[in-house]
Amino acid sequence: MLLLYCKLLDDTNLQQSSNKKYPDIPRVASVCIFRATYGADDVTVSARKSFVHSIDGCMYLMKVLLKGDQPVPRLFSIVRNIHHLISAAPESIPIMDKILETLTANGDEEDGCSFLEKENDNDNKKYGLLEVLVATLAWAIRSDPPFPGGQYDRRSDLALEILRALFALDAGKPTVPLPSNDAMTEIGIMLCEILRLSNADIRVYECKLAVVTLLLNAPEQYSGYLSSNGGIKPLVDIMAYQLSVVVVERTGSSAEDAAAVVPILLALRKLCQSNASILQMVKNEIFPPDLDEEFQGKVKAEMKKEQSEGQSKAKNMAPLDAPRGTVRWKLIRLMTWIDSTVKRAACELLWTLCDEDATEFVLRTGFGNAVHFLGNKGLVPLPAGVNV
């Protein structure tokens, strides 16, 4: 039955299904394949293995993915199947890669595959799963009308599914070398384009959150690209909004708090650690330079007290400059959050922004907020019996 659904995916005689008078049979077939292979019970697992290792299973999916002219809901359903296979059956990744490389090298893409731009008709360059997904993402973001389109435009769903598939693809093949420089560059271009889009539409913002998750596994060289192409300020804006959701609105549970803020905190810390200019950019956004003179005046007054604790020469209990409602105030609030993952992520980012200097860390965040983190690092003594 699965192979029958596959044949319905690729049946060119069903092109009339794009007409509103008829059901979109290829999309219905794709949905049936997803429902038949999604799950962990024995029957579903067996069906999934049968689909992946059959002669035509992945082949039909890849051929439909390469079609240039088809409804977005159908393409979304195809990508959802691919995302599921990447996650639940990693052995399908090299199979899909090989099929796409063969199809694109031989020029067998149906309808010319409008997503792939070849330099000329004799270009026999191979395109694997990563390249085809990124090309499809580029089409979804750049095609008319301007992204994300009207109320019933599903290109945002397609883009979101592709971003999640790319994250799963990275997690599914950790031992495989990095993609080609061309592929990495195209991914970087698309991520920056998405990050620079307006936040006015929630659909765009959801895509941006998916970009943040993808950046958690990004190679270090991506930091320089994001820095020079306007990708850092949008990430700081995302952090500011997520902090407001958690610290000010407080509508979620502890687990929801972690899901909301931890990815962006970890992503920004990783970028700051890999690139000094990004560290300075992020630090300037959280601790504005125009307020530095006032802050330094408070530092001098504090240091005259000649108090010290461990490797910190300061012992101010509260932050010297963190007015209520500012991004730094919200970030510092997370240092004593009930969820340990949230607390650690916030502390690690602030620690990085302070150049891992215990004195600056205490001056900016307050000894009361910093003591447990510094104790964990062995930089200040903790009272006996305190768990680290």
Side-chain angles (χ1 to χ4, degrees):
M1 184 61 74
L2 278 175
L3 292 183
L4 173 60
Y5 291 141
C6 289
K7 291 182 183 295
L8 291 175
L9 281 177
D10 198 41
D11 194 335
T12 54
N13 294 323
L14 295 174
Q15 289 302 311
Q16 78 274 10
S17 63
S18 60
N19 190 312
K20 293 183 179 181
K21 294 182 180 179
Y22 301 94
D24 187 342
I25 294 177
R27 176 176 174 268
V28 173
S30 176
V31 171
C32 290
I33 292 172
F34 180 80
R35 291 178 177 175
T37 59
Y38 183 82
D41 58 276
D42 292 342
V43 174
T44 305
V45 171
S46 176
R48 185 164 57 241
K49 288 183 178 179
S50 174
F51 177 83
V52 169
H53 296 289
S54 66
I55 297 176
D56 297 323
C58 291
M59 173 67 79
Y60 279 111
L61 268 184
M62 297 304 100
K63 282 186 174 181
V64 180
L65 177 63
L66 286 175
K67 283 188 175 181
D69 183 18
Q70 57 185 324
V72 174
R74 182 194 304 174
L75 188 55
F76 164 76
S77 183
I78 296 298
V79 173
R80 185 175 63 167
N81 269 303
I82 294 170
H83 178 193
H84 169 55
L85 290 178
I86 292 171
S87 302
E91 68 273 15
S92 68
I93 297 173
I95 297 174
M96 291 188 284
D97 257 331
K98 186 175 181 180
I99 292 171
L100 286 171
E101 288 175 359
T102 301
L103 292 174
T104 55
N106 295 338
D108 290 341
E109 319 89 286
E110 300 202 22
D111 298 332
C113 188
S114 60
F115 305 141
L116 296 176
E117 296 181 1
K118 293 195 173 186
E119 295 180 1
N120 54 64
D121 293 337
N122 296 320
D123 183 6
N124 291 325
K125 183 178 179 181
K126 298 178 180 179
Y127 294 87
L129 183 59
L130 175 68
E131 289 82 2
V132 174
L133 287 175
V134 173
T136 309
L137 175 64
W139 172 84
I141 299 297
R142 296 169 179 167
S143 59
D144 291 326
F147 188 83
Q151 179 181 357
Y152 300 105
D153 192 328
R154 295 200 64 189
R155 284 177 298 152
S156 59
D157 293 332
L158 174 61
L160 191 58
E161 194 67 24
I162 293 172
L163 289 167
R164 290 169 176 169
L166 290 174
F167 179 78
L169 187 63
D170 182 62
K173 36 191 249 184
T175 60
V176 175
L178 290 175
S180 67
N181 288 334
D182 288 346
M184 295 292 286
T185 299
E186 187 60 29
I187 295 172
I189 291 171
M190 290 313 309
L191 297 188
C192 283
E193 281 191 28
I194 294 171
L195 288 173
R196 292 197 300 263
L197 292 171
S198 169
N199 290 333
D201 194 304
I202 184 62
R203 295 173 295 175
V204 174
Y205 192 71
E206 288 174 347
C207 289
K208 291 188 178 187
L209 293 181
V211 168
V212 170
T213 303
L214 196 56
L215 288 174
L216 293 174
N217 289 338
E220 287 191 3
Q221 57 262 42
Y222 258 46
S223 58
Y225 189 89
L226 289 168
S227 174
S228 59
N229 288 276
I232 302 304
K233 178 62 166 62
L235 289 173
V236 176
D237 291 341
I238 290 172
M239 180 187 68
Y241 180 76
Q242 297 300 102
L243 287 174
S244 293
V245 170
V246 171
V247 177
V248 179
E249 297 180 18
R250 291 295 293 131
T251 58
S253 64
S254 178
E256 290 171 328
D257 289 346
V261 298
V262 169
I264 185 61
L265 295 178
L266 295 180
L268 281 174
R269 177 176 177 255
K270 179 178 180 179
L271 292 169
C272 289
Q273 287 180 316
S274 62
N275 189 294
S277 64
I278 291 180
L279 189 151
Q280 194 59 52
M281 277 188 236
V282 177
K283 187 170 185 174
N284 289 346
E285 290 290 335
I286 296 176
F287 303 107
D290 57 331
L291 301 176
D292 193 59
E293 184 177 347
E294 180 182 351
F295 173 72
Q296 292 301 329
K298 295 178 180 179
V299 169
K300 289 179 181 179
E302 182 65 29
M303 298 305 286
K304 286 181 181 179
K305 298 178 182 178
E306 297 183 351
Q307 294 180 330
S308 64
E309 188 72 42
Q311 293 189 26
S312 172
K313 297 178 181 179
K315 203 177 177 182
N316 51 293
M317 292 305 295
L320 292 187
D321 180 33
R324 186 180 182 87
T326 60
V327 172
R328 55 190 181 279
W329 175 79
K330 297 170 189 174
L331 194 52
I332 292 169
R333 283 285 305 274
L334 294 185
M335 294 176 68
T336 54
W337 213 248
I338 188 171
D339 186 288
S340 60
T341 306
V342 172
K343 179 164 53 179
R344 184 62 185 249
C347 288
E348 290 288 1
L349 175 58
L350 286 164
W351 177 247
T352 300
L353 294 177
C354 292
D355 297 314
E356 300 186 1
D357 180 273
T359 300
E360 181 180 357
F361 188 66
V362 170
L363 289 169
R364 291 198 180 277
T365 68
F367 188 74
N369 297 314
V371 60
H372 193 266
F373 178 79
L374 294 176
N376 284 340
K377 289 188 171 294
L379 300 178
V380 299
L382 290 175
V386 174
N387 294 325
V388 297

